[in-house]
Amino acid sequence: MSSVFRSKTARITLSNLSPGPNSQHAQKRLGRGQGSGRGGTSGRGHKGQKARAGNGKPKAGFEGGQTPITKRFPKKGFVNPNRKVYAPVNLDRIQYWIDQGRLQSSPENPITARELLLSGCIHNVHDGIKLLGDNAPYLKTPIHITPSRASQSAIKAVESIGGSVFCQYYNPLALRDCVKSREDRISAAPTRRTDILWYTNWHNRGYLSPEAIAKNPKVEERWKELSKQLLSFKDQTFDTKGIKKM
């Protein structure tokens, strides 16, 4: 005869729910006479900063009025407000991901920050992706990739086996749209002088250089006009005849 298992406790319902043991405590009652154990000073001790009414805790680093240690130590250097932190990706890691079937690319569908993040090749896009050429001999598969920056050794290694690299500018909003695969917004163009010079230079494989406009299969019509406008300063001349010398 098979035995039937029966629970010793009743079924849990709203009628028999109760707080756990020792999970509730009586409120601490202060200032109710000496017999309560907390009369007189109400547990605050005699006088002092911490005994005063309405006194909050001093802020972190406060040393009673003397010059705090954070001010006594000399300061050196500064934090660049325009700094950018790129997520590094090496060629051997990309090849390993390709061998596992976690990455694939073509000229029409290049590898972007979205594919690298979703495949686990990187864990954070930061301010963009930078392609590095470490362990370049391990790269055997032609890849097509669109990072934010790329080293010269990485560009040379990728193009030597039939791949392509086009570096594209992303501001924080454009990078977020790239990761989330949003195409309903127009991505921002570079506005800082250093960025304009970098992304219009074919040596860096900038996507706004005339050579990239001609070779990139995913070029947008807006990029063609941007390339002309951003490079127009090279053909501009200024009339200096009317300027008087001091």
Side-chain angles (χ1 to χ4, degrees):
M1 182 177 179
S2 62
S3 59
V4 179
F5 174 77
R6 295 181 180 275
S7 177
K8 295 183 179 180
T9 58
R11 181 186 177 191
I12 297 177
T13 62
L14 291 176
S15 61
N16 58 15
L17 284 177
S18 61
N22 301 323
S23 64
Q24 292 186 328
H25 304 278
Q27 181 183 3
K28 182 189 289 188
R29 302 181 76 236
L30 304 175
R32 296 298 186 272
Q34 298 296 338
S36 66
R38 299 188 186 90
T41 56
S42 301
R44 288 175 176 261
H46 289 283
K47 301 181 182 179
Q49 184 184 25
K50 295 183 180 180
R52 307 307 178 187
N55 175 59
K57 291 183 178 180
K59 64 180 181 180
F62 181 68
E63 298 182 10
Q66 73 177 15
T67 305
I69 193 171
T70 55
K71 285 190 176 183
R72 294 200 299 268
F73 268 73
K75 310 298 187 296
K76 184 179 180 180
F78 71 103
V79 177
N80 185 3
N82 300 313
R83 69 189 184 281
K84 286 191 176 182
V85 179
Y86 293 103
V89 180
N90 286 299
L91 295 177
D92 58 339
R93 186 175 180 87
I94 292 180
Q95 182 62 56
Y96 183 69
W97 251 243
I98 292 175
D99 294 340
Q100 288 186 327
R102 300 167 71 175
L103 276 178
Q104 55 184 357
S105 65
S106 66
E108 292 74 22
N109 296 301
I111 298 172
T112 63
R114 173 180 172 81
E115 286 74 29
L116 293 173
L117 183 63
L118 294 181
S119 65
C121 192
I122 59 173
H123 303 294
N124 195 329
V125 295
H126 295 291
D127 294 322
I129 308 298
K130 183 167 184 178
L131 186 65
L132 301 178
D134 289 1
N135 298 320
Y138 289 97
L139 183 66
K140 305 298 182 183
T141 306
I143 62 172
H144 305 275
I145 187 168
T146 306
S148 296
R149 296 290 177 102
S151 66
Q152 293 301 314
S153 59
I155 294 173
K156 183 178 179 180
V158 171
E159 293 182 347
S160 64
I161 59 174
S164 63
V165 178
F166 295 103
C167 296
Q168 186 172 340
Y169 172 80
Y170 293 100
N171 68 347
L173 181 59
L175 185 62
R176 191 189 319 159
D177 289 345
C178 175
V179 171
K180 295 186 177 181
S181 189
R182 287 190 57 171
E183 298 181 354
D184 57 330
R185 285 192 285 222
I186 299 175
S187 60
T191 54
R192 293 179 57 84
R193 182 175 181 271
T194 53
D195 290 334
I196 291 174
L197 294 176
W198 206 94
Y199 287 101
T200 54
N201 191 348
W202 174 243
H203 180 70
N204 303 322
R205 297 305 184 265
Y207 75 116
L208 294 178
S209 62
E211 294 85 352
I213 295 294
K215 296 180 181 180
N216 191 351
K218 290 199 66 177
V219 66
E220 299 178 6
E221 292 296 327
R222 190 173 66 95
W223 296 356
K224 298 178 181 179
E225 188 62 29
L226 275 174
S227 178
K228 294 178 181 179
Q229 292 178 2
L230 296 178
L231 291 172
S232 61
F233 72 93
K234 293 185 176 181
D235 301 327
Q236 290 178 349
T237 58
F238 300 93
D239 185 12
T240 58
K241 294 180 180 180
I243 300 177
K244 296 181 179 179
K245 294 183 179 180
M246 297 297 293

